[in-house]
Amino acid sequence: MHKLQYLDLGGIKGNALTQMPDALFELTALVTLDLSANYIHQVPQQIQQLQQLQRLVLRRNRLTQLPNAITTLQKIQVLDVSDFPHVCSGKQIIDVIT
């Protein structure tokens, strides 16, 4: 599992995650992580352990903010934070990732 590069845990497929499982942060080879359409309230600081991550999909969750640890993901190319009913403004998100 440590060589896993793509993981789709999107809620449309029947998941109802309320938090990111700790085991995710051991998958350090992940390139794409899709957690869309769940009930996740926060992204833990451990997200910084996923240094190979290029695509992170968090749309349609219950996030209100993103951790500064997101800025340490040097290879990130896509950060999908669309459709947040509870999130701060798009400008605040952009400020975190730039």
Side-chain angles (χ1 to χ4, degrees):
M1 290 280 289
H2 292 286
K3 293 184 180 183
L4 187 68
Q5 293 185 337
Y6 177 84
L7 184 58
D8 185 348
L9 294 174
I12 296 171
K13 294 157 189 67
N15 295 315
L17 298 174
T18 57
Q19 62 185 14
M20 296 175 72
D22 289 338
L24 280 180
F25 307 114
E26 297 174 20
L27 304 174
T28 56
L30 275 180
V31 173
T32 298
L33 177 58
D34 185 340
L35 294 165
S36 60
N38 278 288
Y39 299 96
I40 298 170
H41 291 274
Q42 70 177 28
V43 176
Q45 294 291 335
Q46 293 98 310
I47 194 75
Q48 65 191 359
Q49 294 173 230
L50 304 179
Q51 286 298 309
Q52 300 306 310
L53 209 55
Q54 295 176 20
R55 186 170 194 260
L56 177 58
V57 181
L58 295 168
R59 72 175 171 259
R60 295 180 53 207
N61 273 284
R62 299 206 171 164
L63 299 172
T64 56
Q65 62 183 0
L66 295 172
N68 286 336
I70 293 254
T71 63
T72 68
L73 301 175
Q74 299 295 316
K75 295 186 178 184
I76 199 83
Q77 296 174 6
V78 174
L79 176 58
D80 185 345
V81 291
S82 60
D83 296 325
F84 278 132
H86 305 96
V87 82
C88 53
S89 75
K91 181 183 180 329
Q92 289 169 311
I93 291 171
I94 297 298
D95 288 344
V96 168
I97 61 173
T98 55

